[in-house]
Amino acid sequence: MNPARRRSTANRGTLTPELAASDRVFLASTLNRMRRAVTESGRPEQLLHGEPHPGNLISTRTGPLFIDFETCCRGLIEFDLAHAPDDVGDHYPGADHRLLKDCRTLVLSMITAWRWDRDDQFPDGHRLGIEWLSQLRTATSNLDG
């Protein structure tokens, strides 16, 4: 399917039929706002894991090593840090904490959108979609604070 058509179809709710129209508008605008905030930050990009989590981390003689490079990409280190617990970002040298907050909101927007996709098979995905949409509203209400 043509990606432009897919976006158009998603905007009509075909891909997210259980998501209320007002929530769909909120989610789409939040995704766009956070994507712009992150991509227009001016921070340098580097190789990222793309979705680091403890299940993708092994200990080696030379230190921790990320595996499972299915989502490997280039981007801002704050995007990878956004997947880690808050205290990891607090201790990472040179991290832009405002950008890290924006990246955390972007990640929350992404995973929330995935839970509302009609083909999502994540266990308990619908409940998580509802919960994360609420968390996203809270996170975006405090963006300027």
Side-chain angles (χ1 to χ4, degrees), residues 47-99:
L47 183 63
L48 300 177
H49 182 276
E51 188 186 18
H53 58 78
N56 286 340
L57 191 62
I58 59 172
S59 294
T60 69
R61 286 182 300 217
T62 58
L65 178 67
F66 279 110
I67 57 172
D68 184 21
F69 289 95
E70 183 178 347
T71 56
C72 183
C73 59
R74 288 193 58 79
L76 310 175
I77 189 61
E78 288 82 0
F79 186 78
D80 263 0
L81 291 173
H83 291 81
D86 289 346
D87 59 337
V88 173
D90 292 343
H91 298 291
Y92 195 90
D96 178 325
H97 293 281
R98 174 63 185 186
L99 181 58

Side-chain angles (χ1 to χ4, degrees), residues 114-134:
W114 296 340
R115 297 298 71 89
W116 285 100
D117 187 290
R118 70 169 183 236
D119 297 326
D120 184 53
Q121 296 180 12
F122 196 82
D124 210 13
H126 185 74
R127 182 192 60 78
L128 289 171
I130 293 168
E131 179 182 321
W132 292 344
L133 193 57
S134 177

Side-chain angles (χ1 to χ4, degrees), residues 133-144:
L133 193 57
S134 177
Q135 289 177 16
L136 190 57
R137 287 194 187 284
T138 300
T140 57
S141 71
N142 299 323
L143 278 178
D144 299 319

Side-chain angles (χ1 to χ4, degrees), residues 1-11 15 117-119:
M1 174 182 270
N2 176 330
R5 177 153 172 74
R6 180 175 169 88
R7 280 190 298 273
S8 173
T9 302
N11 289 339
L15 297 177
D117 187 290
R118 70 169 183 236
D119 297 326

